[in-house]
Amino acid sequence: MPSDVTMLPEARITIQMSKRLLFQTIALAVLAPALLGGCVNAKTDYPSFALPSADESEGRVSMRFPSVSVPETSQNAEPEAMPAELDARLAAINAQASTAGQRFDKGLESARQSIAAASDAPTDTDRWARAQVQYADLASHHSAGRLALAELDLIAARAHLTAASDDDIQALAQLQTSLATELDEQARILAAFNADLEK
């Protein structure tokens, strides 16, 4: 019987596989700490989705907005008297409206007669032309009154914004109402005259 034992092919393959498995086990044991450390470090390298601070790094534009202080409005604020220059302007507006109204009234009767006489006249006659001129004069005076009312409305709005006294606001409201009523009546008269001229 020979001294050397002849190994079967199956046994040789089993030994080789055992050696390979032992080598892989040793390699894994050596590399495992490094691999785990890499995973821990990689976890901290993920990009952050948090909004960066405006002053996080030098060179970035600051996004801080300046604080705006809003003055507190006191409910018990003292009413402000209308300035002297505003009083003077108000007197001028009142005078302008009064003058426009007086001129309208002064020319009203003459215009009424001329328009009545021209209501059946041809457009190329003197009667019709005279009526047109007088109608235009009345319309001009009415427009002057409308301008005065518009400026009066602005002053009244300013009085509300500046916390004017109740007496001043009430006086302005009375002037507005009186002038608006007068101008509405003038507008009604002008509309009637214009209808007569267009017949």
Side-chain angles (χ1 to χ4, degrees), residues 78-92:
E78 292 293 332
E80 300 179 4
M82 296 182 65
E85 62 272 12
L86 191 57
D87 285 339
R89 185 56 193 153
L90 187 59

Side-chain angles (χ1 to χ4, degrees), residues 1-88:
M1 184 173 183
S3 58
D4 293 336
V5 178
T6 303
M7 298 181 61
L8 297 176
E10 292 82 358
R12 188 179 297 109
I13 293 174
T14 301
I15 293 174
Q16 290 178 354
M17 291 179 63
S18 299
K19 289 181 179 180
R20 183 178 301 172
L21 180 61
L22 179 62
F23 176 78
Q24 291 177 351
T25 303
I26 295 174
L28 181 61
V30 174
L31 296 177
L35 293 175
L36 293 176
C39 292
V40 173
N41 292 336
K43 185 177 182 180
T44 60
D45 292 336
Y46 290 151
S48 174
F49 292 98
L51 293 175
S53 172
D55 300 327
E56 183 178 355
S57 61
E58 186 177 357
R60 291 187 178 180
V61 179
S62 177
M63 297 176 62
R64 292 180 178 177
F65 296 97
S67 59
V68 179
S69 59
V70 179
E72 296 182 359
T73 302
S74 175
Q75 297 294 332
N76 300 322
E78 292 293 332
E80 300 179 4
M82 296 182 65
E85 62 272 12
L86 191 57
D87 285 339

Side-chain angles (χ1 to χ4, degrees), residues 48-185:
S48 174
F49 292 98
L51 293 175
S53 172
D55 300 327
E56 183 178 355
S57 61
E58 186 177 357
R60 291 187 178 180
V61 179
S62 177
M63 297 176 62
R64 292 180 178 177
F65 296 97
S67 59
V68 179
S69 59
V70 179
E72 296 182 359
T73 302
S74 175
Q75 297 294 332
N76 300 322
E78 292 293 332
E80 300 179 4
M82 296 182 65
E85 62 272 12
L86 191 57
D87 285 339
R89 185 56 193 153
L90 187 59
I93 294 173
N94 193 22
Q96 176 185 348
S98 178
T99 300
Q102 291 174 2
R103 290 177 177 175
F104 187 94
D105 294 339
K106 183 178 179 179
L108 178 59
E109 189 58 34
S110 176
R112 192 191 306 274
Q113 294 175 2
S114 297
I115 292 172
S119 60
D120 57 350
T123 57
D124 57 350
T125 61
D126 291 340
R127 286 186 300 169
W128 192 86
R130 188 182 303 110
Q132 286 287 347
V133 170
Q134 292 186 337
Y135 174 84
D137 288 341
L138 291 181
S140 176
H141 302 323
H142 176 75
S143 296
R146 287 291 180 187
L147 290 176
L149 179 60
E151 191 164 358
L152 186 60
D153 291 340
L154 291 177
I155 293 177
R158 179 181 176 184
H160 283 280
L161 293 176
T162 56
S165 66
D166 292 339
D167 292 339
D168 289 336
I169 293 177
Q170 185 176 1
L172 286 170
Q174 291 176 352
L175 286 175
Q176 287 176 286
T177 301
S178 176
L179 183 53
T181 302
E182 179 182 351
L183 291 172
D184 288 344
E185 177 61 19

